[in-house]
Amino acid sequence: MVIGDGVLTPAMSVISSMSGIQAATEHLSHGGVLILSCIILVGLFALQHSGTHRVGFLFAPIVTIWLISIFLSGLYNTIFWNPKIVSALSPYYIVKFFKETGKDGWVSLGGVLLSIAGSEAMFADLGHFTATSMRIAFPFFVYPCLVVQYMGQAAFLSKNIDSIPNSFYNSVPDSVYWPVFVIATLSAIVGSQAVITATFSIVKQCNALGCFPRVKIVHTSKHIKGQIYVPEINWILMILTLAVAVGFQDTTLIGNAYGLACMTVMFITTFLMALVIIFVWQKSVALAIPFLLLFGLIEGIYLSSAFIKIPQGGWVSLVLSFAFLTIMFVWHYGTRKKYNFDLHNKVPLKWLLGLGPSLGIVRVPGIGLIYSELATGIPSIFSHFVTNLPAFHTVMVFVCVKSVPVPFVPPEERFLIGRICPRPYRMYRCIVRYGYKDIQRDNGNFEDLLIQSIAEFIQMEAVEPQLSSSESPSFDGRMAVISTRSVQSGSTLLVSEEDFGISNSIQSSKSLTLQSLRSAGDDENPQMRRRRVRFRLPENPGMDPAVRDELSDLIDAKEAGVAYIMGHSYVKARRSASFMKKLVIDIGYSFLRKNCRGPAVALNIPHISLIEVGMIYYV
């Protein structure tokens, strides 16, 4: 529903604001207003790639001027047309209203929804505001301005009942009509921008939790977290918004869908908030139940009124939410089936131990980073690697990137390092943990941090024998949290840096072909040159010889090069599977997997160092 709100809000806001031109100029048709609205919508979505931080400094002044202008307009209308309208602030009249109108009054709540949704749009992207700022701004500034404006419109309509179809612009005094129109258009763009950014944010978080296909996440600001741009979602939203605007051409019908989406989001949020009170804030159920009953009852009455509008445009919200829900379900279902296949077909450690430290193949210098979704055990695809590749690296690290259901993971808790098989095998496991709001950027130091973390683990294992797997019958040792802050100090390995220029890259490669490729790459991308980090062992006579040999092998392997190894998987339903499962896996999930970003791109794996081996999963 939030993603659907990102489709409906720009269409509703822009068309409503542009209707002021039609109210002022009689010769402009409704089609002309629609064309102008579509041009603004295309421009709005086209500017998303630049990021909100470039024009964000204008948002607060625009919204402030807009609220002050509608406050003054409402105050003027109240004084000029009907000062007695102030008595409408009394709760007595809402009771009298429902007593006299009955069912018709309940139905009218579907229209009142639009005033709630309009004020809610300003705070749609909650990540850009603090709780304190919202607690102060809304009750002391936003709410009074809205109440005075609606009160002024009521005063105007009490004397001009024929102006109901376009009451806002008709109630604006002629002397300030065009300035109000301009600021209304700008505020509509700001409100739409907030909802679009909120849509990007929720898509990113769903993606991190494995509930949405992999999409490109562009962080538009280096200093402010949460300002992101998702190109695929942006253009899909633009197409759907234009389709809604052109298809309905009526703010009443769009408003019905818009109100239903917003009210559904509020209603579901209330239930989720009750869970937050109990499980996150650790408060008693006795506090959560009154909260749920109070706000759930109020929002339930509004939501029930909004459901009546489903035949009059409200069905669009349900169709959009069902479409996105289907995509999310198919992706999550296919991903879980693939993970469960790996989980139930892990390679037995006895098989690896039977092969010996060489694994029955040639062990060549270098580090092989084997990516897997499994946090324990050896994935089945590793046996596929061993049987299809004639040689493997001296040092092997099974890397598992996990998105955990918390917003941020502190850097000191990012890496979990463990050992697989006895020491001579030189096989390790690394679990890299990110929160769903963490930024996963290719900053060039992942390999260095990983090597230092493994070295720190080797040294820690020698000091703390309980981490060692040599005494464990399963030869799968415990995992230890290795702080990236501590390893950057180089406590185990001595770290030195030098320019990563053309000469260094050529000297580090024994292949003439790789020399020419790297040289050309450095020439074409001089801005991408980084500093090479070199490791060496400290002069420590008291170091265990076995530990020194293992650290030395690790350093030599790092100097030889790092390769990223992934499985290029194809997921298919078994022949005995049901028709629905074949439809979801073979058609739905296969289509999404082929048309979303590959896992190597999503994990920022350098393409030149990537090795992929194909494998079919029958689920």
Side-chain angles (χ1 to χ4, degrees):
M1 280 293 184
V2 173
I3 300 174
D5 197 5
V7 174
L8 298 170
T9 298
M12 179 68 183
S13 302
V14 173
I15 293 178
S16 297
S17 63
M18 293 304 294
S19 63
I21 298 181
Q22 189 177 15
T25 56
E26 298 179 356
H27 64 278
L28 184 63
S29 64
H30 182 72
V33 173
L34 184 62
I35 292 175
L36 291 176
S37 301
C38 290
I39 292 174
I40 293 178
L41 288 173
V42 171
L44 173 64
F45 284 99
L47 291 176
Q48 293 298 315
H49 72 279
S50 62
T52 57
H53 68 286
R54 297 185 183 275
V55 292
F57 67 95
L58 294 175
F59 288 0
I62 288 174
V63 173
T64 301
I65 295 173
W66 164 247
L67 290 172
I68 293 175
S69 65
I70 64 174
F71 175 83
L72 295 177
S73 174
L75 188 62
Y76 167 81
N77 287 323
T78 301
I79 297 174
F80 183 80
W81 293 106
N82 189 358
K84 294 182 180 180
I85 202 70
V86 175
S87 60
L89 294 174
S90 172
Y92 164 77
Y93 291 99
I94 188 64
V95 177
K96 182 180 180 181
F97 173 79
F98 282 116
K99 186 177 180 180
E100 294 186 0
T101 57
K103 181 181 178 181
D104 293 335
W106 169 66
V107 172
S108 69
L109 292 177
V112 179
L113 279 178
L114 298 182
S115 64
I116 301 174
S119 60
E120 169 265 347
M122 290 185 293
F123 298 100
D125 189 10
L126 299 181
H128 290 181
F129 301 95
T130 63
T132 303
S133 66
M134 284 185 284
R135 291 191 184 108
I136 296 174
F138 190 83
F140 296 107
F141 183 58
V142 177
Y143 181 73
C145 293
L146 293 174
V147 170
V148 172
Q149 165 59 26
Y150 287 124
M151 193 163 57
Q153 284 192 52
F156 173 80
L157 290 175
S158 66
K159 305 297 181 181
N160 302 273
I161 196 66
D162 296 332
S163 299
I164 286 181
N166 202 355
S167 61
F168 172 74
Y169 280 112
N170 288 339
S171 65
V172 175
D174 295 337
S175 58
V176 295
Y177 184 88
W178 290 111
V180 171
F181 167 76
V182 172
I183 197 64
T185 304
L186 293 176
S187 64
I189 294 175
V190 169
S192 302
Q193 173 68 50
V195 177
I196 293 172
T197 307
T199 305
F200 292 160
S201 179
I202 199 169
V203 167
K204 175 185 179 296
Q205 296 178 19
C206 290
N207 181 26
L209 296 175
C211 298
F212 203 88
R214 293 181 296 267
V215 291
K216 182 178 181 180
I217 307 294
V218 179
H219 297 271
T220 58
S221 176
K222 296 181 180 179
H223 308 289
I224 304 176
K225 294 183 179 180
Q227 292 194 0
I228 61 175
Y229 167 65
V230 185
E232 298 92 336
I233 300 300
N234 182 65
W235 303 124
I236 291 174
L237 289 181
M238 186 188 75
I239 294 173
L240 293 176
T241 301
L242 292 176
V244 169
V246 175
F248 283 103
Q249 303 184 15
D250 186 359
T251 55
T252 302
L253 297 178
I254 301 176
N256 292 336
Y258 178 45
L260 178 60
C262 292
M263 205 64 244
T264 305
V265 170
M266 293 181 184
F267 188 70
I268 296 175
T269 303
T270 298
F271 276 85
L272 297 178
M273 192 64 203
L275 298 179
V276 170
I277 293 174
I278 299 174
F279 295 106
V280 180
W281 294 355
Q282 299 293 321
K283 303 294 183 180
S284 65
V285 179
L287 180 64
I289 291 179
F291 168 85
L292 182 61
L293 292 178
L294 175 62
F295 289 96
L297 178 62
I298 297 173
E299 293 168 354
I301 295 174
Y302 277 98
L303 184 61
S304 62
S305 175
F307 274 121
I308 299 180
K309 307 291 184 178
I310 290 179
Q312 292 84 33
W315 58 270
V316 175
S317 296
L318 300 179
V319 169
L320 289 174
S321 61
F322 179 77
F324 285 108
L325 177 63
T326 302
I327 292 173
M328 295 169 69
F329 170 77
V330 169
W331 179 261
H332 182 69
Y333 180 78
T335 303
R336 294 301 300 175
K337 285 295 182 182
K338 180 172 173 286
Y339 177 79
N340 289 332
F341 180 91
D342 274 335
L343 193 64
H344 293 98
N345 293 275
K346 293 188 290 188
V347 176
L349 282 175
K350 291 183 179 180
W351 178 71
L352 285 179
L353 295 174
L355 296 177
S358 66
L359 300 180
I361 55 178
V362 179
R363 300 292 290 269
V364 297
I367 298 178
L369 302 183
I370 306 167
Y371 278 78
S372 169
E373 294 183 4
L374 290 182
T376 59
I378 306 298
S380 59
I381 201 168
F382 179 70
S383 62
H384 204 57
F385 289 154
V386 173
T387 55
N388 284 274
L389 297 177
F392 228 90
H393 300 85
T394 305
V395 176
M396 286 182 285
V397 183
F398 290 85
V399 180
C400 176
V401 179
K402 286 293 184 182
S403 292
V404 293
V406 295
F408 301 100
V409 174
E412 58 270 17
E413 300 178 9
R414 179 85 65 209
F415 285 88
L416 273 171
I417 303 295
R419 184 188 295 279
I420 301 175
C421 296
R423 190 188 299 270
Y425 283 72
R426 302 294 193 258
M427 296 173 64
Y428 310 93
R429 186 190 311 281
C430 174
I431 300 177
V432 189
R433 300 179 295 183
Y434 292 97
Y436 55 82
K437 285 188 176 182
D438 276 324
I439 300 175
Q440 302 182 34
R441 285 180 176 172
D442 183 16
N443 51 14
N445 63 347
F446 172 76
E447 296 176 7
D448 302 327
L449 290 176
L450 178 61
I451 299 305
Q452 293 181 71
S453 299
I454 294 175
E456 193 74 19
F457 170 79
I458 294 172
Q459 184 71 17
M460 184 187 302
E461 186 185 49
V463 178
E464 303 178 16
Q466 66 269 20
L467 292 176
S468 177
S469 62
S470 58
E471 301 298 329
S472 173
S474 65
F475 292 101
D476 198 352
R478 299 180 181 179
M479 306 291 290
V481 177
I482 306 297
S483 172
T484 57
R485 292 178 179 176
S486 64
V487 300
Q488 286 176 342
S489 62
S491 57
T492 301
L493 300 179
L494 297 179
V495 182
S496 60
E497 293 185 355
E498 58 184 22
D499 289 332
F500 189 84
I502 299 175
S503 60
N504 286 331
S505 64
I506 294 176
Q507 292 173 3
S508 65
S509 176
K510 298 179 181 179
S511 170
L512 295 176
T513 304
L514 286 179
Q515 289 180 19
S516 60
L517 286 174
R518 290 180 176 177
S519 177
D522 288 336
D523 288 336
E524 293 178 2
N525 301 290
Q527 72 278 8
M528 294 299 292
R529 298 186 186 182
R530 293 191 284 260
R531 300 182 67 84
R532 177 189 294 274
V533 176
R534 291 188 179 276
F535 303 102
R536 57 188 176 88
L537 286 175
E539 296 294 335
N540 186 3
M543 183 179 292
D544 188 343
V547 174
R548 177 174 289 275
D549 291 342
E550 189 171 6
L551 292 176
S552 179
D553 290 344
L554 182 65
I555 295 174
D556 294 340
K558 173 64 170 64
E559 291 298 322
V562 179
Y564 297 80
I565 305 167
M566 298 191 69
H568 192 77
S569 58
Y570 297 89
V571 183
K572 293 185 178 180
R574 299 182 185 272
R575 292 184 178 181
S576 58
S578 63
F579 171 77
M580 183 60 66
K581 187 174 182 179
K582 291 181 179 179
L583 180 67
V584 172
I585 296 295
D586 295 344
I587 297 179
Y589 182 74
S590 177
F591 174 81
L592 293 176
R593 189 191 60 81
K594 291 179 181 178
N595 290 276
C596 71
R597 295 176 68 80
V601 180
L603 295 173
N604 295 317
I605 296 176
H607 184 70
I608 195 172
S609 304
L610 177 64
I611 300 174
E612 288 188 298
V613 178
M615 184 175 180
I616 298 179
Y617 289 82
Y618 288 99
V619 299

